[in-house]
Amino acid sequence: MTLRVACLGAGYFAQHHHAAWASMEGCTLVGVADQDPAARTQAAANTHGAQGFTDLATMIAATSPDIIDIITPPPSHHTAVTQALAARPRAVICQKPFATSLEEATALAEAAQTAGVPLIIHENFRFQPWFRTIKAAIDAGQLGEVLNLTFRLRTGDGQGPDAYMDRQPYFQTMPRLLIHETGVHYLDTFRYLMGPAQSIYADLRRLNPAIAGEDAGHVVLGWQGGARAVLDGNRLLDFDTDSPRRTFGEALIEGTQASLHLTGDGAVLLRRFGTRGMQAECLLEGRDWPGFAGDCVRALQLHVRDALTTGTALENTAQDYLEVLRMEAACYASDAEGRKVTL
């Protein structure tokens, strides 16, 4: 069975979605809609003949898609998701940030349940191969009891008056940036790796005066058993890598029996307690992965394809993702109030 896919959006990041769908066995990209004629033309050239449209409604009527993939900025998501659900496809995928507020996201999740249509949030960082490798090692007990997880987010693209203008210029005017747009990836990833957190403390700040939102900060997540995770995020600084948009930073996961180190080239190294780094075991080799950030866009899309064709469980459903948005809201509440927030 071949699934028909229609994409709303032909901007900067949408190219990764288009390329993955167009090359994926079992899926056919039948349409791309965008108000910008140049973007539509480029999308068609990159996707081997998908039809171009100016709006979602016309595209749905002309292509009868099984999957509608929404790849537009957050303010457009409520209208687009509502319109897509009304068409009753087999699934709707929506890029993150999912909505402009928790209330709006809750309403959309409930609308999807009422319509009986799976609504999946395109939260792709948990699908990066290094995080899948880390999850497998944790689940296999290779680390013993996990006590600490630290991720140093260093995108290196946030300096000066022209920060973000080459790829996503709307970043400059977003009132909330580091957590709402970027850090939410790691809130979801920490939850994926270690389960639901019990508390959050956040200390956020704006370093670049050219932007409206915060671009640096620390977030500490706590678990009932005593484990802690720290997101140390700074969009101005870089880290040791040839491609800052591969892993976006470095991670250290420490357990009572071993620790894992994620390096800037995407390698995952296991060092057993009491040994030296030269004795570390490589669980995942670093390499220049195709696609975006370990080809995680394609990995998420393959996950949706397989779930629809084989009946496997979906990750990142809208209803489940509401917990991530509650974590995001807790970060901003914690920063505003200067206190730890219980989840």
Side-chain angles (χ1 to χ4, degrees):
M1 177 184 179
T2 300
L3 297 169
R4 298 169 60 82
V5 182
C7 292
L8 175 65
Y12 159 72
F13 198 80
Q15 63 183 315
H16 300 295
H17 291 242
H18 302 163
W21 288 124
S23 63
M24 191 177 300
E25 185 178 348
C27 294
T28 299
L29 183 59
V30 294
V32 174
D34 197 285
Q35 294 179 341
D36 183 349
R40 291 198 309 275
T41 300
Q42 186 61 44
N46 291 341
T47 52
H48 311 291
Q51 288 183 267
F53 299 90
T54 59
D55 63 271
L56 178 59
T58 303
M59 179 170 64
I60 291 173
T63 62
S64 301
D66 298 300
I67 300 172
I68 299 174
D69 191 5
I70 297 168
I71 327 158
T72 53
S76 66
H77 289 173
H78 184 274
T79 298
V81 170
T82 301
Q83 196 171 15
L85 291 174
R88 298 295 196 276
R90 293 191 61 184
V92 175
I93 306 173
C94 183
Q95 254 291 354
K96 47 67 51 200
F98 172 26
T100 58
S101 68
L102 178 58
E103 292 74 21
E104 186 177 88
T106 301
L108 289 174
E110 292 174 352
Q113 286 193 320
T114 300
V117 177
L119 174 57
I120 302 105
I121 309 308
H122 189 98
E123 180 50 83
N124 52 48
F125 275 40
R126 66 160 60 195
F127 286 92
Q128 291 171 357
W130 35 90
F131 288 130
R132 304 311 262 200
T133 298
I134 291 168
K135 174 66 170 174
I138 292 173
D139 289 350
Q142 289 184 274
L143 277 66
E145 180 186 358
V146 177
L147 299 179
N148 289 297
L149 189 165
T150 304
F151 189 89
R152 296 174 60 253
L153 173 66
R154 300 288 187 267
T155 60
D157 60 350
Q159 295 187 10
D162 296 326
Y164 317 115
M165 294 301 291
D166 59 337
R167 285 192 297 263
Q168 290 158 301
Y170 63 91
F171 278 13
Q172 283 212 351
T173 58
M174 292 178 68
R176 293 178 169 182
L177 176 63
L178 178 71
I179 301 302
H180 180 64
E181 205 294 322
T182 313
V184 71
H185 286 304
Y186 298 99
L187 298 181
D188 177 71
T189 299
F190 291 173
R191 182 170 175 261
Y192 164 67
L193 294 175
M194 299 177 66
Q198 302 294 315
S199 65
I200 284 183
Y201 174 79
D203 180 9
L204 310 176
R205 61 198 188 277
R206 184 185 65 165
L207 298 178
N208 187 344
I211 69 171
E214 83 285 358
D215 53 2
H218 291 76
V219 178
V220 181
L221 282 72
W223 280 262
Q224 192 168 18
R228 295 291 183 268
V230 177
L231 171 62
D232 170 8
N234 192 310
R235 293 203 62 129
L236 283 75
L237 305 180
D238 69 356
F239 67 108
D240 185 9
T241 182
D242 63 316
S243 175
R245 294 182 65 79
R246 181 185 297 118
T247 64
F248 289 84
E250 300 171 306
L252 182 64
I253 304 92
E254 299 168 283
T256 54
Q257 296 178 17
S259 61
L260 293 172
H261 181 203
L262 167 64
T263 62
D265 62 353
V268 177
L269 306 175
L270 174 72
R271 185 189 67 82
R272 290 177 175 81
F273 195 89
T275 65
R276 302 292 301 276
M278 65 185 67
Q279 298 170 288
E281 176 185 354
C282 184
L283 301 186
L284 181 68
E285 296 280 353
R287 62 184 177 92
D288 187 13
W289 294 79
F292 170 76
D295 217 10
C296 60
V297 171
R298 180 181 178 85
L300 184 149
Q301 293 174 187
L302 283 168
H303 167 71
V304 173
R305 181 203 67 180
D306 293 345
L308 295 181
T309 54
T310 68
T312 54
L314 281 163
E315 297 182 36
N316 292 5
T317 63
Q319 197 67 40
D320 182 64
Y321 198 72
L322 294 178
E323 293 302 318
V324 179
L325 297 185
R326 293 187 183 100
M327 294 169 71
E328 176 193 325
C331 287
Y332 288 108
S334 172
D335 179 64
E337 300 167 13
R339 65 179 181 89
K340 182 167 70 174
V341 174
T342 300
L343 296 171

